[in-house]
Amino acid sequence: MTVHSFQEHFDKKIDGDVAIEPRDWMPDDYRKTLIRQISQHAHSEIVGMLPEGNWISRAPSLRRKAVLLAKVQDEAGHGLYLYSAAETLGITRDELYEQLHSGKAKYSSIFNYPTLTWADMGAIGWLVDGAAIMNQVPLCRCSYGPYARAMVRVCKEESFHQRQGYEIMLTLANGAPMQKKMAQDALDRWWWPSLMMFGPPDAESGNTEQSMRWRIKRLTNDELRQKFIDVTVEQANILGLTIPDKDLKWNEERGHYDSGAINWDEFWNVVKGNGPCNKQRLDTRKKAWADGQWVRDAAMAHAEKRKARKATAKAA
Amino acid sequence: MAQQTTNKNEWPLWEVFIRSKAGLDHKHAGSLHAADAEMAIENARDVYTRRMEGVSIWVVESTNIHASDPGDAESLYDPANDKIYRHPTFYNLPDAVKYM
């Protein structure tokens, strides 16, 4: 087959919703886009453990602590599913880490905000995981098989993350006035960054059109953001909390909520590395990687020694 | 399944297969890195069975898996294409014949 016919075959599969698998021919840009998106997603899961890790030792009860530990452990697992999906595209795990540590690869900017109070564990579960689920559900039908399969696994596990967060918010919102205030403060701080998680508006999103064509993406940033706003407003009402957007209003004609302008300067500033915790998050990751080097080396040396011993025993 | 792109310092890549309950086949779940088979099984337990998804785990070092080439799909599977007589629906029997 010529490159042209390879391309034709690939296009036909995409149009027919036939999944692309690792050993299939694919255009270079498709591969590159996937590596970028999947690795960014994996890095987000891994860095996403840090803001919550901050509260494990200070969880208000044993139940909350067990739940938070399980959630953080899931995030490590999700990172690993995604890294192995990215590796099927011909990049090594070490290269992926290197891209994160050098700043070449990005992760979700939301994790560059600090977790100041316990209520932030509630707001993150409810809003940040809620937004992540909104993003991830359509990715279960993504054209690249290993990514889609990883997302099915992630989505199955993620729903408890959002529910436990909402439960924390519910408990605080129905608690003492101080607790309710804490919940409102967390909502105030996490609302706008959560909306930014869906990425820049469609008009300014350079990758959207091509990714939709390749069926890597199924819905645009603005469509997903709108869906998220529509379902979350009702959930805030049940909590008796106020979403910090004075322009938020039901639009009968559109059948959607209208909402205020997002501060995209803040978004780009955080993406560029100037968020409140960018440096801290990356330094923590780099230190963990460097400090773990001797463990990785020792495990490898041990495995090799055992293999050699077994070989000698067999020969004897 | 992942392609082979080994790096000298990296722990080898393993493919993980899980039997979700007795009576069912082991099914490919994903892959992971581990220094040896024992560690691969322990890691697979943590990564792929956090919610009782399995009762048995197989791990195979990815380099030991040999796969067919998708480019050969036509010549590999074509011979089965025109043999519809291998399916029970190929045979016309009177309605009166039961349990067959």
Side-chain angles (χ1 to χ4, degrees), chain A residues 9-312:
Chain A
H9 187 61
F10 173 85
D11 289 342
K12 219 193 267 168
K13 276 165 96 172
I14 294 282
D15 292 339
D17 265 332
V18 176
I20 307 298
E21 293 294 343
R23 292 167 59 93
D24 294 342
W25 185 91
M26 61 186 88
D28 282 347
D29 286 339
Y30 178 80
R31 188 184 297 276
K32 266 186 226 153
T33 300
L34 278 169
I35 290 178
R36 197 193 60 236
Q37 183 173 333
I38 301 172
S39 68
Q40 187 170 321
H41 199 157
H43 298 325
S44 300
E45 296 284 354
I46 298 301
V47 177
M49 291 192 279
L50 300 175
E52 291 176 315
N54 186 33
W55 281 92
I56 291 174
S57 61
R58 292 182 282 160
S61 69
L62 192 56
R63 177 180 183 271
R64 295 286 186 210
K65 185 174 180 166
V67 167
L68 189 55
L69 265 172
K71 178 176 193 286
V72 170
Q73 199 188 5
D74 272 353
E75 274 145 17
H78 297 174
L80 294 174
Y81 305 155
L82 288 160
Y83 280 131
S84 52
E87 284 171 272
T88 63
L89 291 158
I91 185 165
T92 67
R93 183 72 62 89
D94 281 0
E95 283 173 305
L96 291 165
Y97 288 153
E98 162 56 27
Q99 290 182 353
L100 171 66
H101 297 158
S102 69
K104 188 182 169 226
K106 300 286 179 217
Y107 54 87
S108 181
S109 278
I110 193 88
F111 303 116
N112 290 317
Y113 290 86
T115 45
L116 304 176
T117 73
W118 171 252
D120 289 5
M121 296 303 98
I124 286 181
W126 172 36
L127 300 172
V128 175
D129 288 276
I133 292 169
M134 211 50 105
N135 252 326
Q136 286 163 352
V137 168
L139 288 175
C140 297
R141 294 184 296 123
C142 155
S143 61
Y144 188 56
Y147 191 27
R149 291 192 286 275
M151 289 327 300
V152 169
R153 228 169 244 289
V154 168
C155 285
K156 259 192 220 163
E157 299 183 354
E158 196 97 29
S159 127
F160 117 68
H161 296 188
Q162 193 187 15
R163 291 173 69 109
Q164 67 84 37
Y166 193 76
E167 193 198 63
I168 292 175
M169 294 303 270
L170 202 58
T171 309
L172 292 172
N174 292 317
M178 269 289 283
Q179 287 175 303
K180 182 161 185 181
K181 209 175 139 205
M182 204 161 93
Q184 180 65 53
D185 165 66
L187 171 55
D188 290 347
R189 281 181 293 110
W190 291 96
W191 175 253
W192 292 103
S194 298
L195 295 188
M196 294 175 197
M197 281 177 71
F198 297 97
D202 295 346
E204 291 161 37
S205 170
N207 303 320
T208 294
E209 200 184 328
Q210 182 63 74
S211 288
M212 301 275 285
R213 168 70 190 90
W214 279 330
R215 305 206 177 169
I216 293 174
K217 242 177 137 144
R218 296 283 186 161
L219 295 165
T220 71
N221 296 353
D222 287 334
E223 284 169 343
L224 289 164
R225 190 165 15 244
Q226 182 71 61
K227 268 176 83 140
F228 175 75
I229 294 171
D230 290 345
V231 303
T232 311
V233 172
E234 300 305 321
Q235 295 166 359
N237 289 341
I238 294 169
L239 292 173
L241 298 177
T242 310
I243 288 177
D245 178 357
K246 58 179 174 28
D247 298 320
L248 197 66
K249 213 177 77 210
W250 178 253
N251 183 326
E252 192 65 56
E253 203 176 307
R254 289 203 311 129
H256 292 293
Y257 280 93
D258 289 337
S259 53
I262 293 171
N263 181 353
W264 291 109
D265 290 343
E266 175 185 326
F267 172 78
W268 289 114
N269 205 24
V270 180
V271 169
K272 281 181 194 129
N274 304 318
C277 302
N278 293 58
K279 189 173 170 346
Q280 186 192 340
R281 300 287 186 240
L282 216 48
D283 285 350
T284 309
R285 278 310 309 156
K286 284 194 270 194
K287 185 175 181 309
W289 179 246
D291 289 354
Q293 184 66 51
W294 73 270
V295 180
R296 295 191 296 276
D297 291 346
M300 209 56 231
H302 180 65
E304 268 156 23
K305 200 169 77 184
R306 289 220 302 194
K307 207 194 266 172
R309 203 178 289 156
K310 225 186 235 169
T312 331

Side-chain angles (χ1 to χ4, degrees), chain A residues 74 87 92 94 157 306, chain B residues 5 10-11 33 38 50-51:
Chain A
D74 272 353
E87 284 171 272
T92 67
D94 281 0
E157 299 183 354
R306 289 220 302 194
Chain B
T5 45
E10 233 179 49
W11 286 349
H33 290 270
E38 214 179 312
R50 283 192 304 283
R51 287 173 176 76

